[in-house]
Amino acid sequence: MSVDHAEPVAVERVAAPSRRRGGGRGGRWWIPWLFLAPALVLFLYFKFVPMADALVMSFQNVRPFLGNQWVGADNYAKVVTSDGFQQAAWHTVLLALFQTVGSMLLGLILALLMEGQSRKLSFIRSAAFLPVVVPMAVVAELWRIIYHPTGDGMLNSLIGIVGLGPSGFINDPHTSMASVIVTGVWRGAPYDMMIFLAGLAGVNRDLYEAAIVDGASRMRRLLHVTLPGLRSVFTILFILAAIRGLRVFTEVFLLTNGGPNGSTEVVMTLITKLGLEQNRLGVASAGAVLLFLATLLLTVLVSILRSRKSQ
């Protein structure tokens, strides 16, 4: 009998230190948060606190040094019924749509051309990715030089070879929006290319071999193997590119600042002018909140559609 009772006691003694060690690890759960605390505090102070202030200011008539007045939804009514805001919203949608489609299409083409493990391809991929890492101020200045409106401008010289007359590009209301879209596509396509390359690496190679055995052409392999395998990548890129397009500001601000004659005015540049130039901070905050809600709504809708398709 004594021998029978000794074994569980021994097991219990062996298990006890492991429970103590587990409890020690569980008691130190706060250590990672301690390391993250400085960054989280800065993120809270410079991100979420200004967002909360903007939400409050959107319901107020902001009067520096005089005290703010509560005006309710008047700021939102002014924004929604304003012709300038409606035009800027339409420009933003156009810019987001064409930049999203253009950058994804060009990024997919570049990814298909540069897929592989060759050292030459690695160098070409790195060179193609350079527009993403170059500061937007440098990119804007580069394209301002390319778009120089005179006949001896860089792009005008090229199109003059085929007999086309000089264009004003960003200085012409009829071509300014297309010029900004081209700049955005040129800068966004390499980013999409790298994500497409990562997605292509995950496509099942057995499907390609089976398609080749069945006699499928290269185009049919692209349509029935490659594109279905990149469905999740398309969803992610669409969300990222759409958000980037809706929040477009830097390239428009540096290239045209909304001109000429408001032909490239987008919501972000309009909000900046309302808040910083006209000192209508309440109305500008209302516009910023509406833009945030539109971005959030788009993200939620795409996520819901994706979850339904996966089911």
Side-chain angles (χ1 to χ4, degrees):
M1 295 296 292
S2 60
V3 175
D4 295 337
H5 289 288
E7 292 183 358
V9 173
V11 173
E12 185 178 356
R13 290 176 179 174
V14 173
S18 65
R19 286 199 300 268
R20 285 197 296 271
R21 287 196 297 270
R25 287 196 299 269
R28 294 194 297 269
W29 61 268
W30 49 269
I31 292 180
W33 291 102
L34 182 63
F35 284 100
L36 289 173
L40 292 176
V41 170
L42 291 175
F43 193 76
L44 174 67
Y45 185 76
F46 289 103
K47 185 73 174 180
F48 290 106
V49 172
M51 288 176 62
D53 289 341
L55 180 62
V56 174
M57 289 167 57
S58 67
F59 296 99
Q60 296 176 335
N61 178 23
V62 180
R63 302 184 305 170
F65 310 110
L66 297 176
N68 300 340
Q69 292 179 334
W70 184 266
V71 295
D74 288 351
N75 290 331
Y76 290 94
K78 292 178 181 178
V79 168
V80 173
T81 58
S82 171
D83 293 336
F85 184 84
Q86 292 176 3
Q87 186 179 19
W90 173 243
H91 292 163
T92 303
V93 172
L94 286 179
L95 199 64
L97 177 62
F98 285 102
Q99 280 193 357
T100 299
V101 175
S103 61
M104 289 180 64
L105 180 60
L106 182 58
L108 177 61
I109 294 174
L110 291 174
L112 293 174
L113 293 175
M114 299 184 188
E115 184 184 13
Q117 300 298 327
S118 172
R119 291 185 177 180
K120 293 181 180 180
L121 289 177
S122 177
F123 173 78
I124 295 174
R125 283 197 295 264
S126 301
F129 192 71
L130 282 178
V132 179
V133 299
V134 175
M136 191 60 219
V138 178
V139 172
E141 188 59 32
L142 171 65
W143 280 92
R144 286 180 67 87
I145 296 174
I146 294 174
Y147 287 145
H148 198 275
T150 60
D152 57 351
M154 180 177 177
L155 193 54
N156 276 324
S157 299
L158 293 177
I159 64 176
I161 297 175
V162 295
L164 297 178
S167 172
F169 296 112
I170 57 176
N171 297 284
D172 188 345
H174 301 290
T175 58
S176 55
M177 178 60 72
S179 302
V180 174
I181 290 173
V182 170
T183 304
V185 170
W186 179 83
R187 191 169 192 267
Y191 178 82
D192 294 352
M193 175 196 72
M194 298 304 293
I195 299 181
F196 275 126
L197 284 172
L200 288 172
V203 178
N204 191 350
R205 299 296 163 180
D206 295 337
L207 297 177
Y208 286 113
E209 296 176 0
I212 294 174
V213 171
D214 291 339
S217 63
R218 182 172 299 179
M219 181 58 65
R220 292 184 68 87
R221 294 198 300 269
L222 174 64
L223 294 176
H224 299 286
V225 177
T226 304
L227 295 183
L230 295 175
R231 188 178 293 112
S232 60
V233 177
F234 275 108
T235 303
I236 295 172
L237 279 179
F238 178 80
I239 295 175
L240 294 176
I243 293 174
R244 186 171 65 236
L246 289 176
R247 297 172 58 190
V248 62
F249 170 75
T250 309
E251 51 262 49
V252 177
F253 178 76
L254 294 175
L255 286 173
T256 64
N257 194 22
N261 299 327
S263 59
T264 59
E265 192 81 85
V266 292
V267 174
M268 288 293 292
T269 57
L270 180 62
I271 290 173
T272 303
K273 292 175 182 178
L274 288 174
L276 300 181
E277 296 180 8
Q278 303 179 22
N279 200 28
R280 300 172 63 187
L281 295 175
V283 179
S285 299
V289 172
L290 291 176
L291 180 62
F292 170 75
L293 293 177
T295 307
L296 180 63
L297 179 62
L298 176 65
T299 305
V300 172
L301 286 177
V302 173
S303 300
I304 292 175
L305 292 176
R306 180 185 177 188
S307 61
R308 288 183 178 179
K309 288 182 179 180
S310 62
Q311 292 175 358

